[in-house]
Amino acid sequence: MKLFRRVEDMESLPPAKRRRESKDGEVEASTLQKLSPVVIFAHGAGAPSSSDWMQRWKNMLKEALHAVDIVTFDYPYMSGKKKAPPKAEKLVEFHSNIVKETATKYPGHPLILAGKSMGSRVGCMVATMEDITVSSVVCLGYPLKGINGAVRDETLLQLTVPTMFVQGSKDSLCPLEKLEATRQKMKAPNELHVIDGGDHSFKIAKKHLQANGFSQHEAEDVAVQAIAAFISRSLEG
């Protein structure tokens, strides 16, 4: 993915080719560095950033996007005794502060907000804030349906930045037909990648995997590559 070619990759080139590719020297190096994105990756309601799922996806995203950094964090309610998460709206300020701190740490790099389930919903809320500037949003298992079954699409309809959805086809919190109806109403450019047979955490039943001749890892890898292609198109404008 040429867009995310890192500066350090150029060091391994033969001298002549390095000179050709770095004709403008420091200017080109600076440009390449700034093209590398930084991802702020928020966890879901029930498991912290240290969970196996979050760590696996953090590593996959970092490799696929050639990201400068994948910033993970825990919402305050995760500390101390285990308790139910507050309403998503109450997590926005904390999340937005993480984004602002990251923007200060990595000036000039595109910022991408990614999140699992609740984390993606809060990330979308942050992306609509006037004092926040991000390049795109990646929603991994967006919880479109609330506890009462109502469709929670208000935040999605406010988005203006490119938005990528990755959803399991068997995710009860986000029926694909309801997501499709919401996507049609969204102002923001948006794409969807469906993990066939996946649940809310993209887990696919063994029988389904065997019947279709692919593995859990392969299904997730295809999803990550779809995200990388989406981010590349978004940054190219």
Side-chain angles (χ1 to χ4, degrees):
M1 189 162 298
K2 191 172 182 181
L3 180 63
F4 299 127
R5 188 170 192 172
R6 294 168 292 183
V7 175
E8 54 264 38
D9 293 338
M10 297 177 66
E11 298 301 323
S12 62
L13 295 174
K17 188 171 184 181
R18 195 186 312 158
R19 283 194 296 272
R20 290 197 302 272
E21 296 214 4
S22 301
K23 187 167 55 178
D24 297 321
E26 294 180 1
V27 174
E28 182 171 342
S30 176
T31 301
L32 282 171
Q33 284 180 322
K34 288 183 178 181
L35 284 174
S36 299
V38 177
V39 181
I40 297 96
F41 188 19
H43 63 78
S49 61
S50 59
S51 69
D52 290 344
W53 194 99
M54 285 290 294
Q55 289 299 307
R56 186 173 77 255
W57 274 84
K58 175 181 178 179
N59 293 334
M60 290 191 297
L61 289 171
K62 185 171 178 61
E63 181 178 356
L65 301 182
H66 297 301
V68 176
D69 197 4
I70 306 286
V71 177
T72 56
F73 61 92
D74 287 347
Y75 291 114
Y77 76 88
M78 277 288 176
S79 62
K81 292 183 178 180
K82 189 173 182 180
K83 52 187 176 182
K87 290 185 177 181
E89 290 80 1
K90 294 186 178 295
L91 301 174
V92 170
E93 182 179 1
F94 183 85
H95 195 141
S96 65
N97 286 337
I98 298 291
V99 175
K100 291 173 184 177
E101 290 169 6
T102 304
T104 300
K105 184 178 180 181
Y106 297 102
H109 289 273
L111 291 182
I112 298 166
L113 301 189
K116 180 187 191 301
S117 190
M118 181 196 72
S120 70
R121 186 163 177 251
V122 180
C124 287
M125 292 177 179
V126 172
T128 65
M129 296 174 65
E130 291 184 0
D131 59 343
I132 294 289
T133 300
V134 298
S135 297
S136 56
V137 178
V138 177
C139 301
L140 305 176
Y142 192 87
L144 187 61
K145 283 178 60 177
I147 296 176
N148 61 0
V151 173
R152 302 182 294 191
D153 61 1
E154 299 85 357
T155 300
L156 296 179
L157 299 183
Q158 294 174 25
L159 285 170
T160 57
V161 298
T163 305
M164 175 77 174
F165 297 95
V166 178
Q167 301 291 152
S169 65
K170 295 188 176 182
D171 183 356
S172 61
L173 292 181
C174 188
L176 294 179
E177 68 277 5
K178 293 187 182 298
L179 178 59
E180 182 61 27
T182 298
R183 290 180 58 223
Q184 293 295 328
K185 294 185 291 183
M186 288 175 64
K187 294 178 291 187
N190 62 87
E191 296 183 21
L192 167 65
H193 177 82
V194 177
I195 296 181
D196 186 34
D199 63 11
H200 188 55
S201 294
F202 309 149
K203 181 68 176 177
I204 305 171
K206 289 184 178 180
K207 287 185 178 180
H208 189 90
L209 292 172
Q210 293 170 351
N212 290 277
F214 59 88
S215 68
Q216 181 74 40
H217 173 76
E218 288 170 333
E220 292 184 347
D221 183 63
V222 171
V224 171
Q225 294 308 316
I227 293 170
F230 165 78
I231 296 298
S232 179
R233 290 191 294 272
S234 298
L235 295 183
E236 286 175 335

